[in-house]
Amino acid sequence: MSTSPYTTVVLYLISLIILSCTKFVIATNFYRDFNIWWGNGRGSIHDNGKLLMLSLDEYSGSGIQSYREYLFSKIDMQIKLIQGNSAGTVTTFYLASEGDNRNEIDIEFLGNLSGNPYTLHTNMYIKGSGSREQQIHLWFDPTTSFHTYTIIWNPFMIVIYVDGTPIRVFKNWESRGVPYMKELPMRIYASLWNADQWATRGGAIKTNWTEAPFRTWFRDYKARGCLWENGESCSKAIKHDWYKQKQLDLRSLEMLKWVQRNYMIYNYCNDFNRFPHGLPPECSLDTPT
């Protein structure tokens, strides 16, 4: 059966569209998208790739690493944290590049004694340099049900959300001499490990190993982003709203202020003792107005 010239042209155009979109992905399956890269069997995937469990005992924690690297992305992860006495433990969900001059967007949950709140700790490493910590207490119990934690990383800013509420913004102020993450691709990571030398009350409260194994659950993860392949990314072709976002809208800005006013317990931009020669330059630029 012969094919008309019109049909040939249409099929050719469709193939071009498919090829142009292959580097932008929406990833949703732990089996397909992650490697349990440490823990010696302490991490496991369930429900056909929809659910992940990481565990920690006195010998080891566990963690996952995405097979793919992204240059700019929006990542959602639902997490249910350790119930009861979680002192000394740290659950993480973060993006990171490789090498000594790595970039990293950190979300860490610092455990505590039963009845005391978790601390949500965030940090930004840019070209190997961190020291940009912020800490908040959550306005709910993160151990009784799953909650959604989101990282948006685009050329203009980084935003971290909890259940749709922004808790941190780090903007691209390269024009004002502040470094930003825009050149190195990053993988997605999650882990559960022991950090009782510092995690709970500065290390004063140690992990109670009689309550091990400790378990954190992850589900309904969704990654939208541009794959990094052969030194290239399709990021310039992304038309999604999260990629084009340059600032928070007024409602989101008010929500961010609400979090900072009521739940923030540490902000490096207020730590004058730590920076006696002057706060980092982004501190005067990123202040919500």
Side-chain angles (χ1 to χ4, degrees):
M1 183 177 66
S2 62
T3 303
S4 70
Y6 174 77
T7 302
T8 301
V9 170
V10 170
L11 291 174
Y12 175 72
L13 291 175
I14 291 174
S15 68
L16 286 180
I17 293 172
I18 293 173
L19 285 172
S20 69
C21 295
T22 53
K23 290 186 178 181
F24 181 83
V25 299
I26 299 177
T28 59
N29 188 279
F30 287 109
Y31 270 133
R32 183 175 59 244
D33 303 321
F34 284 94
N35 172 37
I36 301 178
W37 68 308
W38 67 284
N40 195 23
R42 290 172 177 82
S44 56
I45 298 173
H46 309 266
D47 194 17
N48 296 317
K50 298 178 182 178
L51 182 68
L52 167 74
M53 186 273 292
L54 296 179
S55 68
L56 164 69
D57 59 33
E58 60 187 307
Y59 301 105
S60 178
S62 51
I64 60 169
Q65 176 193 65
S66 67
Y67 292 114
R68 293 161 164 163
E69 292 179 290
Y70 300 87
L71 186 65
F72 306 123
S73 58
K74 178 181 180 180
I75 315 293
D76 295 318
M77 186 78 77
Q78 288 196 359
I79 305 174
K80 183 180 179 183
L81 296 173
I82 300 164
Q83 292 185 304
N85 181 6
S86 59
T89 69
V90 175
T91 297
T92 71
F93 162 47
Y94 63 102
L95 302 177
S97 63
E98 298 178 352
D100 293 336
N101 292 319
R102 75 187 188 282
N103 294 333
E104 197 168 309
I105 304 170
D106 281 344
I107 300 177
E108 299 182 341
F109 302 90
L110 313 185
N112 213 334
L113 295 171
S114 300
N116 292 309
Y118 265 85
T119 295
L120 194 162
H121 174 104
T122 63
N123 198 2
M124 307 284 170
Y125 281 83
I126 304 176
K127 298 180 180 179
S129 176
S131 301
R132 299 177 178 89
E133 301 94 341
Q134 291 184 2
Q135 294 182 344
I136 67 168
H137 284 157
L138 295 168
W139 50 96
F140 53 84
D141 184 348
T143 72
T144 58
S145 60
F146 285 90
H147 292 269
T148 303
Y149 304 89
T150 302
I151 298 172
I152 288 181
W153 166 43
N154 69 28
F156 313 107
M157 64 180 184
I158 297 161
V159 189
I160 298 175
Y161 293 86
V162 176
D163 288 339
T165 296
I167 65 162
R168 179 162 190 180
V169 175
F170 187 90
K171 290 187 177 181
N172 182 348
W173 289 110
E174 283 189 312
S175 62
R176 304 291 289 273
V178 179
Y180 189 72
M181 313 177 197
K182 67 175 188 179
E183 297 169 350
L184 298 177
M186 296 197 276
R187 299 183 193 274
I188 309 167
Y189 296 84
S191 63
L192 173 59
W193 49 287
N194 178 49
D196 64 4
Q197 70 275 18
W198 63 270
T200 305
R201 300 183 190 175
I205 308 298
K206 301 301 182 181
T207 304
N208 183 355
W209 294 115
T210 65
E211 301 192 29
F214 302 97
R215 295 184 177 92
T216 299
W217 295 88
F218 302 78
R219 75 176 187 189
D220 291 346
Y221 116 88
K222 189 175 184 180
R224 287 139 291 188
C226 239
L227 293 184
W228 182 261
E229 293 179 338
N230 302 318
E232 296 182 354
S233 170
C234 67
S235 57
K236 293 182 180 179
I238 298 178
K239 304 300 182 183
H240 297 256
D241 288 343
W242 65 264
Y243 180 81
K244 298 183 292 183
Q245 184 180 6
K246 295 183 179 181
Q247 60 186 6
L248 297 180
D249 59 33
L250 290 178
R251 181 176 179 274
S252 296
L253 186 58
E254 287 303 315
M255 295 169 71
L256 175 64
K257 291 179 182 179
W258 173 78
V259 171
Q260 294 179 337
R261 184 169 58 248
N262 294 286
Y263 297 99
M264 180 170 282
I265 58 175
Y266 178 80
N267 183 356
Y268 75 108
C269 283
N270 295 331
D271 196 340
F272 294 93
N273 291 329
R274 186 179 178 186
F275 302 102
H277 302 295
L279 296 173
E282 67 267 19
C283 292
S284 62
L285 300 170
D286 277 341
T287 303
T289 57

